[in-house]
């Protein structure tokens, strides 16, 4: 069946329908990872977006037990070629069947390199995936321009708190769209992790007397999370050690008076170099974000830059003055991506140990 990807600038790509045949309008982004497509599909940070995979062949090892959440979150999926015969000893099915089961519409057979160049040159834009060969461009384009991602944090967060048992330090994880490997990375280090819904009050978290607080990754515009920002400000005012990743990093910055802005086309992939400003060492990181903290807006009496993106010089982390708080824009838990920066979880453990 034919399918069409229509961008809000009027560009149209024609390919083949994969997954669900329903129509979808979404923000079109691209990910440069060569592997890890299942982790990408199940990363809650992609809620409200349709993902283009720049690597040309997707699905060659099928569906494996590597999901980062209970379901897939992107609105749509865009690939050059979908593997027809997956081969892997852990394979449990095909990506085509997975997309259908998850009701995710997609398109294959288009020039994803050309699409990526459009998004890089013109910036991230909205688009539609449709199988309707009779579409009217004059009717579609206003709909695309009107689309807004909206409050996706409420959509992806857990419905109620739950606990991952451990014999060590107690960590409160605020689930803003958390990938499973964040809690797993703490759990493997002996921590008992209590995962809280995004809109949990600071008072409830503080009352549980955690040794540390983790703020997770998540989707959407951080400035839209006004109620969550207010609660994070209250957490900041305590002496509890805090480690924040991605959206959590942005929300902590907003809670302490800084600002954020949207990048032209974001950072999404497993090959982004970041520099530790304290040591000068460069790490290859996994990233998935469209917004960034304005480094110039950070009060130097509140926080100082800790990491910087080597490619474009944007902020990748902050260390807070007089507080046991540090935050990073990238994903030290990886999945997919390199585990170069996994040591940051060990730093968090040391912070909590010193606080006990």
């Amino acid at each position: 069946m034919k399918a069409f990807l229509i961008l809000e600038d009027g560009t149209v790509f024609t390919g083949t329908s994969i997954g669900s045949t329903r129509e979808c309008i979404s923000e079109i982004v691209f990910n440069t990872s060569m592997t890890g497509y299942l982790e990408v599909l199940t990363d809650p940070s992609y809620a409200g977006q349709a993902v283009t995979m720049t690597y040309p062949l997707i699905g060659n090892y099928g569906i494996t037990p590597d999901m980062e959440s209970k379901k897939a979150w992107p609105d749509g999926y865009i690939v050059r070629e979908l593997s027809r015969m997956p081969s892997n000893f852990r394979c449990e099915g095909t990506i085509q069947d997975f997309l259908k089961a998850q009701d995710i519409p997609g398109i294959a057979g288009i020039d994803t390199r050309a699409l990526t160049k459009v998004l890089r040159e013109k910036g991230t834009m909205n688009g539609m995936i449709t199988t309707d060969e009779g579409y009217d461009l004059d009717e579609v384009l206003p709909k695309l321009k009107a689309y807004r991602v909206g409050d996706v944090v409420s959509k992806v967060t857990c419905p109620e708190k739950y606990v991952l048992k451990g014999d060590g330090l107690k960590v409160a994880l605020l689930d803003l769209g958390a990938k499973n490997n964040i809690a797993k990375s703490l759990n493997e280090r002996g921590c008992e992790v209590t995962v809280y819904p995004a809109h949990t009050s600071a008072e409830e978290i503080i009352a549980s007397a955690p040794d540390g607080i983790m703020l997770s990754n998540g989707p959407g515009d951080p400035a839209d999370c006004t109620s969550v920002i207010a609660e994070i400000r209250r957490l900041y005012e305590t002496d509890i050690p805090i480690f924040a990743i991605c959206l959590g990093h942005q929300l902590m910055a907003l809670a302490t008076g800084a600002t954020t802005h949207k990048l032209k086309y974001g950072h999404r992939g497993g090959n982004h170099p970041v520099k530790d400003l304290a040591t000068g060492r460069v790490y290859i990181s996994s990233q998935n974000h469209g917004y960034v903290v304005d480094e110039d807006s950070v009060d130097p009496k509140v926080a100082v830059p800790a990491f910087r993106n080597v490619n474009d010089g944007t902020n990748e982390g902050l260390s807070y003055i007089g507080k046991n708080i540090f935050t990073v824009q990238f994903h030290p838990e990886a999945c997919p991506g390199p585990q170069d920066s996994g040591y940051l979880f060990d730093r968090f453990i040391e912070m909590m140990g010193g606080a006990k």
Side-chain angles (χ1 to χ4, degrees):
M1 182 184 295
K2 267 189 177 181
F4 306 91
L5 171 63
I6 307 167
L7 301 181
E8 66 176 279
D9 69 345
T11 303
V12 179
F13 293 88
T14 303
T16 305
S17 174
I18 57 174
S20 170
T21 57
R22 68 178 175 85
E23 193 170 271
C24 85
I25 295 176
S26 190
E27 182 180 60
I28 312 298
V29 300
F30 63 88
N31 184 295
T32 58
S33 298
M34 296 175 68
T35 62
Y37 52 80
L38 183 59
E39 292 94 328
V40 169
L41 279 166
T42 54
D43 180 350
S45 293
Y46 283 113
Q49 298 173 329
V51 184
T52 305
M53 301 301 291
T54 62
Y55 190 70
L57 179 64
I58 297 296
N60 56 323
Y61 53 87
I63 298 301
T64 55
D66 299 312
M67 292 176 64
E68 280 299 306
S69 62
K70 292 181 179 179
K71 58 166 284 187
W73 290 104
D75 291 336
Y77 202 54
I78 304 159
V79 300
R80 174 68 184 90
E81 182 181 351
L82 205 65
S83 175
R84 293 172 294 170
M85 297 179 64
S87 177
N88 187 280
F89 73 100
R90 299 167 73 234
C91 179
E92 298 176 346
T94 69
I95 190 170
Q96 170 74 312
D97 290 341
F98 179 79
L99 292 172
K100 285 182 178 178
Q102 297 284 322
D103 195 30
I104 295 179
I107 184 170
I110 72 166
D111 186 344
T112 50
R113 182 173 179 174
L115 171 58
T116 302
K117 289 176 75 173
V118 169
L119 297 176
R120 283 177 61 90
E121 289 167 7
K122 297 185 177 181
T124 296
M125 63 182 83
N126 297 333
M128 171 189 282
I129 297 173
T130 181
T131 58
D132 179 10
E133 296 189 34
Y135 68 84
D136 184 334
L137 206 58
D138 291 333
E139 290 182 5
V140 171
L141 294 183
K143 294 178 183 178
L144 301 186
K145 289 181 170 64
Y147 174 79
R148 295 292 180 270
V149 173
D151 179 17
V152 275
V153 169
S154 296
K155 177 182 176 182
V156 301
T157 191
C158 58
E160 56 188 11
K161 76 173 183 180
Y162 62 94
V163 180
L164 297 177
K165 293 293 184 181
D167 298 324
L169 297 160
K170 295 183 178 181
V171 177
L173 170 57
L174 190 63
D175 177 10
L176 306 167
K179 293 160 63 182
N180 287 342
N181 210 42
I182 294 178
K184 183 180 177 184
S185 295
L186 293 167
N187 209 217
E188 286 176 343
R189 289 165 170 81
C191 296
E192 178 172 291
V193 183
T194 303
V195 184
Y196 291 89
H199 298 287
T200 303
S201 69
E203 284 73 19
E204 181 179 345
I205 294 173
I206 295 165
S208 69
D211 295 300
I213 298 169
M214 184 93 215
L215 307 179
S216 82
N217 64 294
D221 183 343
D224 288 341
C225 301
T226 51
S227 62
V228 179
I229 291 168
E231 298 305 319
I232 288 176
R233 175 69 198 190
R234 295 185 180 96
L235 296 177
Y236 166 82
E237 291 168 351
T238 72
D239 292 322
I240 303 170
I242 299 174
F243 178 26
I245 292 172
C246 198
L247 180 63
H249 154 77
Q250 297 163 0
L251 296 184
M252 179 60 75
L254 289 168
T256 53
T259 58
T260 57
H261 73 271
K262 190 173 186 177
L263 292 168
K264 186 176 181 180
Y265 47 81
H267 300 154
R268 298 176 181 88
N271 57 352
H272 292 263
V274 295
K275 184 176 183 179
D276 185 332
L277 299 180
T279 65
R281 183 171 179 178
V282 172
Y283 298 89
I284 302 301
S285 68
S286 174
Q287 301 204 10
N288 174 16
H289 62 103
Y291 292 82
V292 68
V293 173
D294 297 313
E295 199 169 282
D296 292 343
S297 72
V298 177
D299 185 344
K301 295 178 183 178
V302 173
V304 294
F307 288 89
R308 186 164 290 134
N309 189 291
V310 176
N311 288 336
D312 62 11
T314 54
N315 181 265
E316 291 281 358
L318 295 168
S319 179
Y320 284 77
I321 306 297
K323 296 282 186 178
N324 276 328
I325 300 175
F326 74 100
T327 68
V328 293
Q329 181 62 76
F330 51 94
H331 289 255
E333 83 288 349
C335 288
Q339 299 178 3
D340 295 30
S341 54
Y343 73 93
L344 293 173
F345 286 102
D346 298 319
R347 181 192 292 183
F348 183 42
I349 300 293
E350 291 173 9
M351 283 170 52
M352 291 188 287
K356 287 192 70 175

